[in-house]
Amino acid sequence: MFPQLILFLWKYTDEFADIEIIERLENNFKIEISNEEAKNLNSFDDIVKLVTKKINHS
């Protein structure tokens, strides 16, 4: 049920909110997310997996 709630919220974010989320992730976790990677983020789970991958490979 929780992932469905996140998808509902994600669906209604605009481009500027998406950019803000990416920038905060990069700053908080000291990682870089490419435009291509950002375009492929469709859910909260996608974000968690990408950030975890980036942290573990740094």
Side-chain angles (χ1 to χ4, degrees):
M1 176 138 182
F2 180 74
Q4 291 173 337
L5 295 174
I6 294 296
L7 288 176
F8 172 78
L9 294 172
W10 193 265
K11 180 179 174 182
Y12 294 102
T13 62
D14 61 21
E15 184 178 335
F16 294 112
D18 293 347
I19 292 168
E20 178 81 18
I21 291 167
I22 297 301
E23 287 178 351
R24 287 180 182 242
L25 288 168
E26 289 178 326
N27 292 334
N28 287 329
F29 294 102
K30 309 286 189 271
I31 59 174
E32 289 187 25
I33 298 173
S34 70
N35 289 339
E36 190 63 33
E37 290 170 322
K39 288 178 188 176
N40 291 321
L41 298 175
N42 297 309
S43 68
F44 185 74
D45 189 53
D46 291 343
I47 294 171
V48 171
K49 286 178 181 176
L50 179 62
V51 171
T52 301
K53 177 182 164 187
K54 296 264 182 187
I55 291 172
N56 289 333
H57 287 106
S58 59

